[in-house]
Amino acid sequence: MHRSRGLATALTLALAGTCTAMGFGLVEQAAAVTPPVAFTADELPTWQANGVVWALAEAGDQVFVGGTFSAVRPPEGAAGTEQEAVNFATLDAATGAPTACKLSFTVGSGTATVRALVLSPDKSTLYAGGYFGAVNGTPVSSLAAIDVATCTVKTGFRPAFAATVRALAVTGDTVYAGGDFLTVAGQPRERFAAVDAADGTLKPFTANADEPGRAVEVAPDGQHVILGGDFFTVGGTNSHALAVVDATSGAVTKAYPGFIETNSVVKDIATDATGFYTGNEGTGGGVFDGRIALNLSDYGQRWRDTCLGATQAVLPYQNVLYSASHAHDCSSVGEYPDGQRHHLLAQPTTATGKLGWAPDTNDGIGEGIGPRVMTVGAKGGVQYLWVGGEFTTVNGAAQQSLTRFASTGDTGAPSVPVASAVSFKPGEVQVRWRTSLDLDDSTLTYKVYRNGSATPIATVAADSLFFRRPQASWTDTTVTAGQSYTYRVTATDAAGNASALSATASVTVPNSADAYPSAVRADGAQLFWRYDESALPFVADSSDGNQSGVHLNAPALRQTPGAVSGASTAIGFNGTDTQVYGDRRQNVGSTYSIETWFKTNTTTGGKLVGFGNNQARGSSQYDKHIYMTNDGRLVYGVYSGGTHTVTTAAAYNDNQWHHVVATQGPGGMTLYVDGVQKGTLGFTAHENFTGYWHAGGDSLGGWPDRPVSEYWAGQLDETAVYPTVLSAAQVQTHYTLASAPADSVVEVQAAEDTYANAGAPGTNYGTSGSLAVRGSSFYASYLRFNLPAAPAGTVLKSATLSVKTSTMSGAGTTDTVSVLPVTGSWTEAGTTYANRPALGGPALGSFAGVPDGSAVQTTGLDKATVAGALGSAYSLALSSGGTDALWLWSSEAAANEGSPKLTLTFGAP
């Protein structure tokens, strides 16, 4: 289908993740897409065809388009803007608009079509194959030669093919053809033939095949021709779908009996300097739909990509193999499971692993295949990857049958990260986010901003692909116990395109370690879903394993009370279709522990936690799971040639929180409920497959006491997975710690705030949106908070005040700003400099200088003083003795980011 393409110098694929903290330089930015990808994923304006595009070729800054269509129209063109184009069009490589070259391919009866286009080595002649009887009225028979310079039919080239020509390849003196024909010029030539490139005279080359030919390529040595198609024999030799033959005689030199599945065919072949590549399509079960790379040295296999989803075209370019297919299941090569179709992919010519290039089309009209052909055109030093087929959308926008992508001009920004932050102990905050999606960059640079600062506190380089978006994280070790912090994250691609800031993630650093999560982390959890998220679809991993999850079908978030004392929340599942699945494909060995808390009154059972080989669809392999029967009993099971289970005698669907742990290791299987061992089984084997962790549902077919529902109706909390066997003592400790009193955090926004200005002694600033502090001339700001009483059995452990500097130039100050108690009465609406309240002492806290740049600033307050005011309205003032003013946002300002704010931490005495 395609001629050989020259290769440029190999580019280096750099996918290493790095992290730089405060004080280190930013990750260096590249100028374009992530190497070795050569094209952006941003579709360019291109004229469209009103049918199917089957063939593409390029020469002299123009791209030739062949297919089954009658007109072309502008990008986003409506009815009435079409130009007649009968199965052929010529478009400018750089603009995508028609050129002056217009040819009509017609036939007296039936439907004419152009199925193959190829240029002579010097690009002076375009050969077109298909099913047609005339070109611009000049009689031809399914194969024509076009003079590129004049856009006219070469009347001296007159081969006679009796049926459709589907594939072409050309050398300096020979045109090779494959298709449905049985004779050429009245002579027997079954499905493959060769004619003279000048006049179309039939050549001795004979490679008769028993089924249609679909692909032809000449090897770079010019001595061999590679054939692809539906056939099972070539020249009487058993060789299904693929064969290598002598370029002169057509005799088979390399056969492939049993090499490709009998229900699969070769749709396309392309070569480069080192090998050739096949695109394959199958029908029915057990098919081969993917791609094969073979070496030219011995025509043996280099690699085989067994993704499912018929491959229609392959194109090696600069050491990358681009392919057109509708690949929907690449689990066999360790990538995404069966699900959504992906129509355009890229991978190194040396391996099956997909690269970070994934623009997409839909299946479209006709056979619902999507893209069918690709070629590279160039103009003005820019290369353009052209794609044709039967699609009707590109990257979600309307565009029919033709599109193209350039080697420059990457404009697509990564998706906005979804971030959260958590702190389990003094001095440390874990900031984590789901890596972003960028269709032409696999390595992205993430910038972490703290407290609204315009300068990032850290940068992290992390990898993601359209089917693998794992959690990335960074630990802030410069935080102070008892203080509150906010974080936001952006993603930037290699071309400098940046996402918007993530939503703000807020966290208060505890004064002492949070007992339950600290124990889970200390015991080695490599997945820890706490379910504290307030937004879909990211489920953060609170372990160091970065094994985040994804909400499916919107389970209920932030259900209270959770299973563990304190502020942690649970997640609710509907028992019908909601679940959480892991974002990282992995292999789980025969030693592990599964832990979760659950609460339900269901009578239809369901899977609580388990391991399966799919994500958003039901798994076909599944075990290492805990599920509930209809009557509320718990079952822990593994699979190895059969099901092996441990089942509780008691029911646990009493709508109370319960703790379950399942372990397997050298000692066999053990099931614990509420800290107590409920059963064991001396079985140590397991099913070895790669997959994903699930919570809230997945397949259960074939398992004993299978419940009515495979999905869980109830709540889960604190789901964890360990690569070790938890001991009975560890299980009991986790169960006990969950009910131990935990610190609770209460955030109190300012009920009233204003400031006094000596320069305007009678003016009230209660609704100005700003607060100000300066010693000379005098400004002071006043804040009132309605403080709650301490929760029963707790005392105040810390209090912090947060304010946010404004965006005006010089809003910060070099002076120390003190936080003082207010001794006089005041109101937001009535306070002026003339009637300002008196200030007391000593200072409860201070800001020792505040830098410019709008950001949240936090200081600790005297705990004893604040504790004495709990349960009442309490006023604070911000005052300074210096001359450098501090400007802040008041509670009325839209940009205040929740400030001014007091953060109160309560805990056991």
Side-chain angles (χ1 to χ4, degrees):
M1 296 282 284
H2 304 292
R3 288 296 300 129
S4 304
R5 289 99 177 172
L7 295 179
T9 303
L11 300 176
T12 301
L13 176 61
L15 296 176
T18 61
C19 175
T20 58
M22 196 163 48
F24 288 77
L26 300 182
V27 175
E28 184 177 351
Q29 298 291 300
V33 296
T34 301
V37 170
F39 303 97
T40 79
D42 305 320
E43 74 279 7
L44 297 175
T46 308
W47 278 57
Q48 310 171 68
N50 66 348
V52 178
V53 170
W54 295 99
L56 294 169
E58 64 82 25
D61 301 342
Q62 56 190 344
V63 172
F64 304 105
V65 181
T68 311
F69 51 84
S70 61
V72 293
R73 65 185 187 277
E76 303 179 359
T81 62
E82 300 92 349
Q83 292 185 12
E84 183 180 65
V86 183
N87 302 312
F88 182 87
T90 307
L91 304 180
D92 184 277
T95 68
T99 69
C101 178
K102 300 183 186 300
L103 300 170
S104 295
F105 287 72
T106 57
V107 70
S109 62
T111 301
T113 183
V114 175
R115 291 300 182 105
L117 294 170
V118 67
L119 273 298
S120 60
D122 62 4
K123 295 196 174 184
S124 65
T125 302
L126 172 69
Y127 295 92
Y131 178 69
F132 46 83
V135 180
N136 280 5
T138 300
V140 292
S141 185
S142 294
L143 179 60
I146 311 298
D147 183 271
V148 171
T150 63
C151 189
T152 57
V153 178
K154 290 189 172 183
T155 57
F157 181 83
R158 296 291 298 275
F161 283 80
T164 303
V165 173
R166 298 182 179 273
L168 293 172
V170 62
T171 63
D173 60 4
T174 304
V175 177
Y176 297 91
D180 300 348
F181 50 86
L182 299 177
T183 63
V184 178
Q187 299 298 310
R189 292 292 190 277
E190 299 177 8
R191 281 90 183 194
F192 293 100
V195 299
D196 186 274
D199 60 13
T201 303
L202 185 64
K203 291 202 167 189
F205 176 92
T206 303
N208 292 334
D210 60 338
E211 296 289 344
R214 298 184 182 273
V216 182
E217 270 288 345
V218 179
D221 64 6
Q223 304 302 307
H224 298 88
V225 177
I226 308 160
L227 311 178
D230 301 5
F231 51 82
F232 290 87
T233 62
V234 175
T237 300
N238 180 16
S239 189
H240 174 53
L242 184 67
V244 180
V245 299
D246 181 83
T248 301
S249 67
V252 174
T253 60
K254 174 70 174 180
Y256 295 89
F259 184 67
I260 295 173
E261 283 74 356
T262 58
N263 53 352
S264 297
V265 302
V266 169
K267 297 296 291 288
D268 191 24
I269 298 172
T271 64
D272 62 15
T274 65
F276 68 97
Y277 309 86
T278 69
N280 305 269
E281 177 184 75
T283 303
V287 303
F288 174 54
D289 266 350
R291 294 154 289 281
I292 305 175
L294 300 101
N295 297 314
L296 289 173
S297 56
D298 59 0
Y299 297 106
Q301 179 174 294
R302 181 188 306 164
W303 51 255
R304 180 179 292 228
D305 184 340
T306 53
C307 290
L308 294 175
T311 304
Q312 304 297 311
V314 286
L315 172 62
Y317 182 79
Q318 293 185 353
N319 297 329
V320 172
L321 183 69
Y322 298 88
S323 60
S325 69
H326 55 258
H328 58 85
D329 184 355
C330 289
S331 58
S332 61
V333 290
E335 296 175 333
Y336 56 91
D338 193 15
Q340 179 183 345
R341 291 184 170 195
H342 300 278
H343 297 85
L344 295 169
L345 299 174
Q347 60 201 96
T349 54
T350 57
T352 63
K354 305 305 178 292
L355 299 173
W357 184 81
D360 205 10
T361 72
N362 64 353
D363 289 344
I365 59 176
E367 298 176 28
I369 293 294
R372 288 187 174 273
V373 64
M374 298 183 294
T375 196
V376 174
K379 187 174 182 179
V382 178
Q383 289 72 46
Y384 299 91
L385 174 62
W386 284 71
V387 180
E390 56 194 87
F391 48 85
T392 58
T393 66
V394 178
N395 289 340
Q399 176 72 22
Q400 185 171 352
S401 299
L402 278 170
T403 191
R404 61 204 175 95
F405 308 94
S407 59
T408 61
D410 180 14
T411 61
S415 62
V416 180
V418 180
S420 67
V422 67
S423 181
F424 300 117
K425 61 182 181 180
E428 188 173 292
V429 169
Q430 181 197 47
V431 185
R432 60 274 178 98
W433 58 93
R434 189 184 190 201
T435 47
S436 297
L437 174 63
D438 189 293
L439 295 179
D440 47 30
D441 289 277
S442 55
T443 300
L444 300 175
T445 299
Y446 298 88
K447 298 177 182 179
V448 182
Y449 298 86
R450 188 173 76 179
N451 289 350
S453 172
T455 302
I457 192 173
T459 62
V460 178
D463 300 333
S464 58
L465 296 168
F466 68 92
F467 59 89
R468 185 169 60 242
R469 296 173 58 189
Q471 174 176 297
S473 62
W474 173 76
T475 300
D476 188 353
T477 58
T478 64
V479 294
T480 302
Q483 294 195 16
S484 297
Y485 298 87
T486 61
Y487 298 88
R488 303 182 80 178
V489 182
T490 64
T492 305
D493 69 11
N497 301 305
S499 75
L501 284 162
S502 69
T504 300
S506 302
V507 64
T508 298
V509 182
N511 289 279
S512 58
D514 194 345
Y516 185 87
S518 294
V520 171
R521 288 166 55 86
D523 287 340
Q526 287 298 293
L527 179 155
F528 187 17
W529 296 340
R530 303 204 71 198
Y531 307 120
D532 293 334
E533 291 75 30
S534 57
L536 302 169
F538 173 59
V539 182
D541 179 11
S542 292
S543 78
D544 293 327
N546 282 335
Q547 295 194 51
S548 55
V550 178
H551 297 111
L552 179 65
N553 296 323
L557 306 183
R558 298 197 63 80
Q559 301 294 288
T560 56
V564 176
S565 299
S568 183
T569 61
I571 189 170
F573 298 98
N574 63 11
T576 303
D577 62 359
T578 56
Q579 64 160 298
V580 170
Y581 61 80
D583 224 353
R584 177 182 294 179
R585 185 181 179 91
Q586 60 188 284
N587 187 280
V588 178
S590 58
T591 299
Y592 57 89
S593 298
I594 307 167
E595 176 179 37
T596 197
W597 287 80
F598 67 94
K599 178 182 178 182
T600 187
N601 60 1
T602 183
T603 57
T604 58
K607 183 178 291 192
L608 284 71
V609 182
F611 191 69
N613 69 342
N614 212 328
Q615 289 180 309
R617 295 185 179 184
S619 297
S620 59
Q621 291 178 286
Y622 41 94
D623 75 336
K624 304 176 186 68
H625 51 209
I626 302 167
Y627 62 92
M628 179 172 277
T629 63
N630 294 335
D631 59 6
R633 292 173 295 126
L634 293 175
V635 181
Y636 162 44
V638 300
Y639 183 88
S640 181
T643 61
H644 304 269
T645 59
V646 179
T647 305
T648 65
Y652 294 94
N653 55 347
D654 56 2
N655 216 29
Q656 301 295 314
W657 279 111
H658 295 283
H659 177 239
V660 59
V661 176
T663 70
Q664 186 181 26
M669 301 164 58
T670 305
L671 178 64
Y672 301 87
V673 181
D674 293 339
V676 178
Q677 185 185 107
K678 296 297 182 180
T680 62
L681 183 66
F683 187 77
T684 59
H686 71 116
E687 186 174 16
N688 187 20
F689 64 93
T690 55
Y692 310 85
W693 286 106
H694 295 253
D698 196 16
S699 303
L700 280 170
W703 284 81
D705 290 322
R706 180 185 180 187
V708 170
S709 175
E710 295 181 336
Y711 288 88
W712 169 252
Q715 295 180 358
L716 294 180
D717 201 2
E718 310 293 333
T719 301
V721 177
Y722 307 78
T724 58
V725 174
L726 290 180
S727 68
Q730 289 173 311
V731 172
Q732 178 63 50
T733 297
H734 291 193
Y735 176 66
T736 302
L737 287 175
S739 59
D743 290 354
S744 61
V745 176
V746 178
E747 294 183 344
V748 184
Q749 307 294 328
E752 295 185 89
D753 56 12
T754 188
Y755 75 96
N757 178 3
T763 303
N764 171 262
Y765 295 94
T767 59
S768 70
S770 295
L771 300 171
V773 182
R774 185 168 61 194
S776 179
S777 63
F778 180 84
Y779 296 149
S781 292
Y782 306 95
L783 317 171
R784 177 176 284 114
F785 299 92
N786 295 323
L787 301 183
T794 69
V795 297
L796 182 68
K797 302 185 75 172
S798 70
T800 61
L801 172 66
S802 298
V803 294
K804 186 179 182 183
T805 48
S806 74
T807 53
M808 67 183 296
S809 177
T813 181
T814 58
D815 298 331
T816 295
V817 174
S818 298
V819 183
L820 302 171
V822 176
T823 59
S825 61
W826 66 281
T827 64
E828 180 181 84
T831 297
T832 67
Y833 177 79
N835 65 6
R836 68 191 186 278
L839 306 181
L844 282 71
S846 64
F847 297 93
V850 175
D852 285 346
S854 183
V856 175
Q857 306 294 325
T858 302
T859 184
L861 301 181
D862 182 74
K863 181 175 62 175
T865 303
V866 177
L870 291 175
S872 67
Y874 188 62
S875 294
L876 302 172
L878 301 178
S879 184
S880 169
T883 59
D884 188 8
L886 171 66
W887 288 92
L888 307 170
W889 293 121
S890 76
S891 58
E892 284 80 13
N896 65 24
E897 202 161 339
S899 62
K901 176 177 65 178
L902 284 180
T903 300
L904 308 177
T905 302
F906 298 95

